[in-house]
Amino acid sequence: MPVLTKRYPKNCLLAVVDRYLAVVCNMEQVVMIPSLLRDVQLGGHGGQAQMGAPDLYTYFTMLKTIRMDVEHGLLPREEWQAKVVGRKADEAGKEAAEIEEAKEEVSGELDLETQFHVHFSSLHRILTHLTVKAQEVTRKYQEMTGQVL
């Protein structure tokens, strides 16, 4: 796994982001044949996927996609919506988003500090959780291929 070159306090968001990027990079280097991850459950018994539960391949692709967003920034809202839906966002969706933005602006002006702390702690928690998932995918792949050290 790549060594972190910068020193941040342990719970600093930058340290969490660096840790996540390093672990996902390591996962990509270890997983040479991603198709082996299909239909394999992350923590399931016997390794078989349960109905509706994501398999390791789904986690692998999700973690890589999120890494790209973290490294390169977010897409504009319209492009992101089109990517998620698989088509251009319709007019009703745009109107709903505009109304939601207006509500956020009004409430955001009232207590920006509280909103910042809520989003900051959520981002920290999510990145930490994703880092653990990337480590689990890597470990499971190594077990499957006999690469466990």
Side-chain angles (χ1 to χ4, degrees):
M1 176 168 28
V3 178
L4 300 176
T5 56
K6 299 176 185 171
R7 297 299 255 165
Y8 299 112
K10 182 180 179 186
N11 290 325
C12 174
L13 182 61
L14 296 174
V16 173
V17 169
D18 279 352
R19 214 172 307 136
Y20 172 73
L21 294 174
V23 168
V24 172
C25 182
N26 182 57
M27 177 188 72
E28 287 182 289
Q29 291 174 354
V30 169
V31 178
M32 301 302 285
I33 307 170
S35 61
L36 290 177
L37 301 172
R38 290 190 189 275
D39 299 326
V40 178
Q41 196 69 14
L42 188 59
H45 298 291
Q48 296 303 314
Q50 297 173 355
M51 187 62 95
D55 60 5
L56 289 178
Y57 184 78
T58 303
Y59 279 115
F60 179 79
T61 55
M62 175 194 64
L63 292 163
K64 283 179 51 174
T65 301
I66 292 171
R67 180 188 59 85
M68 294 299 292
D69 289 343
V70 170
E71 286 183 333
H72 301 291
L74 296 174
L75 292 172
R77 174 175 273 188
E78 292 81 17
E79 289 181 38
W80 183 81
Q81 286 175 337
K83 180 180 175 183
V84 169
V85 176
R87 57 180 168 71
K88 293 229 181 234
D90 57 79
E91 291 301 317
K94 286 183 181 179
E95 288 177 23
E98 290 171 0
I99 292 170
E100 187 63 31
E101 280 183 22
K103 287 180 184 177
E104 287 177 4
E105 283 182 30
V106 171
S107 66
E109 292 173 0
L110 299 176
D111 196 1
L112 288 173
E113 186 177 5
T114 301
Q115 285 188 2
F116 171 77
H117 286 289
V118 167
H119 291 295
F120 183 82
S121 63
S122 295
L123 181 59
H124 190 284
R125 189 172 41 256
I126 289 167
L127 282 171
T128 301
H129 179 74
L130 291 173
T131 300
V132 169
K133 290 295 182 192
Q135 290 169 330
E136 290 174 359
V137 169
T138 304
R139 180 189 50 78
K140 188 71 171 181
Y141 180 84
Q142 288 174 323
E143 287 174 6
M144 291 169 47
T145 60
Q147 297 177 15
V148 179
L149 299 175

